[in-house]
Structure formats: C-alpha cells, structure tokens
Amino acid sequence: MPNVGFRFASYINNYMVLQKEPAGAVIWGYGISGATVTVTLYQQQEAIMKKVTSVKARSHSWMVVLDPMKPGGPYKVMAQQTFRRKNITLRVHDVLFGDVWLCSGQSNMQMTVSQVFNATKELANTAAYQSVRIFSVSLIQAEQELEDLAQVDLQWAKPTSENLGHGIFTYMSAVCWLFGRYLYDTLQYPIGLISSSWAGTPIEAWSSGRSLRACGVLTRGLIQSDFVTGPSKYSVLWNAMIHPLHNMTLKGVIWYQGESNVNFNRDLYNCTFPALIEDWRQTFHRGSQGQTERFFPFGFVQLSSYLSATSDDTFPQIRWHQTADFGYVPNARMPSTFMAVAMDLCDRKSPFGSIHPRDKQTVAYRLHLGARAVAYGEKLIFQGPLPENMELLADKGLLNLTYSLEIQVQRQHNIFEISCCSDHQCKWLPAPLDTVSAQSLALNVRSCRGTPAALRYAWATWPCEYKQCPLYHPGSALPAPPFVAFLTDLRPGAHRRLAE
C-alpha cells in the first residue's frame, strides 16, 4: 500500500452501523508508518472509550477493536494520528451500534426496491426505518485480493426513496433492504446493510482460489450460458467486492445466487457453495481479529422459477445442490445456515424476465424467519414441512410419506413423481396424491409396474403457480421444499428415515 496519508477504511463513514455486543467492532484505516493512532468514541461531547495503536510498517494500516457496545446511538468516532509532534484528526458522526448484515449474489439480489411489487409504497415507507442504514459496493473486479474497496456506489446513508429506488439493478438490493426492515420490526435496534452483488455472475467469481481448489475447480472452462452475463473469471469479485470487507465485524450474510451455475459447473455446486460459506466464515473471523463469529449465520434464497423453453432438470438440480444435497438446512455440511424456499414465487409477467420475480417481500420475509431462528435463537417455524419417513405398501400400490410438521394441501396438483425401473431402465412417472392426514400423505404408485427406485417432489423448473404449490405448513404458509429420495433399499412395508 503506498503512503496515502491518514484515512479511515473506505466503508467507515458518517451514518454507519457498527456491530454491537457481544462482539467488538473493528475500526481501521491507513496512515504514516510508525505513527501513533488514537481512536476515541464519543457520546454527545463525552469520550466514553479510547484505543491506541500504531501504523504498521509494511501495510501502512492501523486497526483497533472497540469494546462491545449495547445497541443504539448516535455516537461520534474520532481517530487522531500523531507523528513527529504533528497531529491529524478524522471524525465520523451519527454512528449507530446494531447488527451488520452483508448481502451478496447475482441479479435477484441486485434488483432494487424500484423493481419490486408495490415499489411506490415501499419507497414511501422509509421514515420509520431511519435506524436501518444502507451501503452499496461498486461493481469492481480485481486479479488480486484487495485490502480496501476501490470504489463505493452508495456510502453509508439513511434510507430515502431516492437512494433505495435508484434505477434498476443499481445501488441498494431490495432483498437486502426488505430483510433488514423485517429484522428491525422484530429487534427494534439499528441494522446495517451492505449490498455487494453483480448480475449474471457464477459462484466461481465470488469464491477465493482456496475454496475453488478445495472443490477441484482447477482450470477455467469456457462459459457458454445464457445466464452468465457478468464477470465469470474465477475469484475476481471475491478479490474486489468481498475480501476488502473482511476486517469488518459482521452479524451474518445473506446470499441469492445460482442461476449462472445452471449450465456451468452445476455438478460441483454442492461443493462450491458450502466451500464458499466456510471460506467466507474463516476469512471474516480472522480479519476481524476473531470478533465476527467463526460460524456466523449464513442465509440464502433457493432458486425461484423460470419459464424455460426446455424441460430439463438443471434448475431443480441447482436447488438441491444449494442444500449440499440434503434438501434442507442447517445440515451436517452447512451448519448455522438458513434458506428461503422461493420456487412458488414465480412471476410470468415480470418486465425483467421470469428469471427475476418481483415478489421480493415474501423472499425477505422467509429469510428473516430463518435469521430469527438460526441467528437470534427464537423458537419459531422457519421452514416448510420436510419428509421424515417413507414406507412402501406394495400390495396396496401406495407409498406413505410422513412429514416433520403439519401439512396443508393447497391444491391437488400432480407434483410427486416416482422413478420406476425395469430391465435396467428407469423412468419418472406421476405419483398422484391418494389420501392426506395432518402430518402424512399416501401416494398412488400403481402406475409403476417395475421396481420403485426413487421419489421426488417439485422437481421442475416451474413446479407450480404463484403461492400454489401443493404442500405448505398451515400456520406459517411456508412451502415444503423440493426433494429427491432413493428407495432402493426399501423393502415393502419397511420404513426409511429421510431427515436426521
């Protein structure tokens, strides 16, 4: 880093939110090598905390960790550099303490509030949310990991109709904003939201070289996909748009990405996604001097529906791989994660194409339920019913499924399929609903003349119409997620546990 004089890191500014207790917020910046830096926190005119450090010789950087603070504010942060009896002072004001969430991904995360349903109403509804602060990273690529952001689109700000509704796919993510707003409604203390997304980008661009190597992604293949329209070179967005934030103390991350991997390294996504989560967690934990939790909460949106000319199963495969092939989270490979199922939030008439559904409110609402359970320890239902047990009654031509929660059949839409095998060939056949009780259902599998090998649910690019999938949890209106389960070891009358 060249000698750039004395300054804060790019994202330390007026109106920012710093992470509250039990963690300590990290304040850092650049200065003259060897100089002393004193960071003071003021409440009104009173100095309530002081931290002293010195500027490192090689990096020209300095860093302090503040004592854990209760949520609230406003505060002022002052940093003073002393070098050869010369003092320079920096100040930022209207600083709040609360929870800081980073939001990343591709275009469905990048969509702004002006693009969603009821945009006018949403943009008018900012007065009550002045403690939810927003920040947006510029679209930048880099060949090497950057220590600080090269550019910022929207510096920390209070929400207004102008900065929230700033054009399409620019500035503030709608999913991010709505998620933060729902959290604020629940928590009633400040929330800081950082948007760092780029449309049409594969996961490889957001992954470090370390995490890609862990999944055997060694060489860069040619990308030929309608869904890759943004930077696709490995690690370039990790380097420029995520790594520069790694010294920050975070509460958690939310992520909406996967469309660009439908036709690119799809079969590796069940590794590349968990590896990205693990690598981001390690990097942020280390960069924040251990203040960001090692297994911080990580939420994501399972891919929605898309009107496709082909009827292949690439979208369902990515949805499944997003859960590391468990079908649900948290799981053994993805601890402290939560998921918003979105396959029933399709949008035929979206002016941005059906790949970009406009109902981001329901997406954010479902995500915030997951955050309340996983990040905040609330006892609430945050995911739809999961299949727990499967029993084949061959003599009756039925397959019984028991669910983890109460189920409500929204409509009798044929969405279950059974894989039926004979003569070493298998094909998927409809398995219509026969009977339904409070927590279980029976499927008619009489059409299978051979051996039933597997069962799947909602295994389609467009499984159902808007909020009209067959199975929901009645109290929370959360949809049962898609799944595939193998029956090969299942003898007639035997049970098989599906979810641990």
Side-chain angles (χ1 to χ4, degrees), residues 90-161:
L90 306 170
R91 290 180 182 85
V92 293
H93 61 79
D94 204 345
V95 174
L96 303 177
F97 284 85
D99 282 339
V100 182
W101 286 84
L102 169 60
C103 312
S104 187
Q106 57 182 112
S107 55
N108 272 305
M109 184 62 89
Q110 204 185 357
M111 275 176 84
T112 59
V113 183
S114 58
Q115 294 175 265
V116 303
F117 284 135
N118 303 322
T120 310
K121 181 177 166 233
E122 298 292 2
L123 292 171
N125 185 20
T126 59
Y129 296 100
Q130 295 300 290
S131 294
V132 181
R133 304 290 173 82
I134 58 177
F135 178 96
S136 185
V137 175
S138 293
L139 277 58
I140 297 278
Q141 305 177 57
E143 293 293 327
Q144 304 295 327
E145 289 181 345
L146 304 184
E147 288 307 309
D148 198 11
L149 293 170
Q151 207 175 313
V152 170
D153 264 5
L154 176 67
Q155 194 48 264
W156 280 111
K158 296 179 180 181
T160 65
S161 56

Side-chain angles (χ1 to χ4, degrees), residues 235-489:
S235 307
V236 289
L237 304 183
W238 159 259
N239 291 339
M241 294 177 68
I242 301 297
H243 187 268
L245 304 169
H246 79 289
N247 293 342
M248 183 185 284
T249 311
L250 288 182
K251 174 66 177 180
V253 168
I254 58 169
W255 171 261
Y256 195 157
Q257 190 277 337
E259 297 92 342
S260 285
N261 287 94
V262 163
N263 294 322
F264 178 66
N265 284 347
R266 180 179 63 252
D267 297 342
L268 292 173
Y269 203 92
N270 58 2
C271 181
T272 49
F273 185 39
L276 174 139
I277 297 171
E278 168 60 15
D279 188 60
W280 285 27
R281 283 173 169 166
Q282 276 190 33
T283 307
F284 276 86
H285 179 69
R286 245 191 337 257
S288 65
Q289 312 294 306
Q291 297 304 309
T292 298
E293 279 180 35
R294 173 64 182 82
F295 292 98
F296 63 71
F298 195 109
F300 65 93
V301 183
Q302 195 179 45
L303 292 195
S304 187
S305 304
Y306 166 61
L307 283 173
S308 170
T310 58
S311 58
D312 60 23
D313 69 347
T314 52
F315 256 68
Q317 282 182 42
I318 283 283
R319 290 188 193 116
W320 188 244
H321 291 339
Q322 285 180 293
T323 67
D325 300 352
F326 280 77
Y328 59 89
V329 293
N331 60 51
R333 286 191 58 207
M334 299 174 75
S336 299
T337 57
F338 54 97
M339 169 175 79
V341 174
M343 65 179 179
D344 65 333
L345 303 179
C346 46
D347 188 353
R348 252 172 223 285
K349 295 179 180 159
S350 171
F352 316 104
S354 64
I355 195 90
H356 299 126
R358 288 166 290 174
D359 180 359
K360 295 297 191 259
Q361 290 89 338
T362 306
V363 169
Y365 181 77
R366 289 173 182 175
L367 267 180
H368 111 283
L369 288 179
R372 284 168 64 182
V374 172
Y376 297 98
E378 273 192 66
K379 294 279 181 278
L380 52 79
I381 288 167
F382 66 99
Q383 56 190 346
L386 301 167
E388 280 194 327
N389 244 319
M390 200 159 55
E391 183 186 11
L392 181 63
L393 304 172
D395 53 333
K396 296 179 181 169
L398 294 176
L399 182 67
N400 277 350
L401 267 182
T402 309
Y403 277 83
S404 59
L405 297 170
E406 211 179 322
I407 53 173
Q408 180 174 15
V409 175
Q410 188 91 337
R411 56 185 297 190
Q412 291 276 359
H413 172 44
N414 205 357
I415 200 170
F416 283 97
E417 296 169 291
I418 192 151
S419 173
C420 193
C421 302
S422 58
D423 298 333
H424 307 294
Q425 283 197 319
C426 302
K427 62 177 178 181
W428 290 101
L429 301 172
L433 273 171
D434 189 285
T435 54
V436 181
S437 66
Q439 221 162 313
S440 64
L441 52 84
L443 299 171
N444 180 336
V445 293
R446 292 184 192 98
S447 63
C448 180
R449 299 271 178 256
T451 309
L455 179 71
R456 66 189 190 185
Y457 171 76
W459 206 262
T461 306
W462 188 283
C464 48
E465 292 307 311
Y466 181 76
K467 291 193 175 176
Q468 289 293 313
C469 277
L471 294 181
Y472 288 81
H473 175 254
S476 62
L478 291 170
F483 77 87
V484 61
F486 294 94
L487 296 153
T488 36
D489 306 328

